[in-house]
Amino acid sequence: MLKYIYILAGFISLALGLIGIVTPGLPTTPFILLTAFLFAKSSPKLHQKLRENKVTGYYLNRIGQGLPLKARLVSIGIMWCMVCFSAFVIFDAGSKGRYIVLAAGVVGTVAQLIFLRKRKATPAPEVVVVESNPENKDL
């Protein structure tokens, strides 16, 4: 039963992520990452399809490699524009909601700086091929 709940939540998250591609202010990457997590827990087949899809696979592979500093700074800048708009336009002065939005912005900034840093490429391990020659045992 839990498997089907994960799959349903994954499809809801996927829909929100796909809507976020064309809707300003609605994030795409967090929803795609959540979808990948939910599908990995419930259905390896759906998880593989998500990773191989040209749209969602782009977001998953990009996050797996990390983002360069310039991309992170642009992302943080856009995020803070939305945070400030939400905190200072939508909420009244002294409202608890304003402080919650600002605190969430700080948490989001720290998370981006830590988790989205560019990762160093690790060299692939060398593969040694040993051929066996059953006819000539002296080699």
Side-chain angles (χ1 to χ4, degrees), residues 7-133:
I7 291 173
L8 178 64
F11 278 115
I12 292 170
S13 175
L14 179 62
L16 289 171
L18 294 176
I19 291 170
I21 292 173
V22 295
T23 306
L26 185 65
T28 299
T29 305
F31 287 117
I32 300 298
L33 291 174
L34 177 61
T35 303
F37 171 78
L38 293 169
F39 283 173
K41 287 282 195 183
S42 60
S43 171
K45 185 176 178 181
L46 287 173
H47 183 255
Q48 188 62 31
K49 283 186 176 186
L50 188 72
R51 290 184 61 92
E52 292 173 353
N53 185 282
K54 73 177 185 179
V55 175
T56 58
Y58 166 76
Y59 288 98
L60 294 174
N61 294 330
R62 184 180 71 171
I63 294 303
Q65 299 166 355
L67 294 177
L69 181 62
K70 183 178 178 181
R72 284 186 287 153
L73 292 177
V74 168
S75 175
I76 289 170
I78 293 170
M79 180 186 73
W80 273 102
C81 288
M82 296 307 293
V83 166
C84 289
F85 176 79
S86 298
F88 297 110
V89 175
I90 295 176
F91 292 103
D92 295 327
S95 170
K96 289 181 183 179
R98 177 179 283 183
Y99 298 115
I100 291 171
V101 169
L102 291 171
V106 170
V107 169
T109 301
V110 171
Q112 284 193 38
L113 290 174
I114 292 172
F115 295 114
L116 295 181
R117 68 182 179 271
K118 189 79 172 164
R119 285 150 181 82
K120 294 180 183 175
T122 56
E126 268 188 49
V127 177
V128 178
V129 177
V130 179
E131 292 184 25
S132 63
N133 190 352

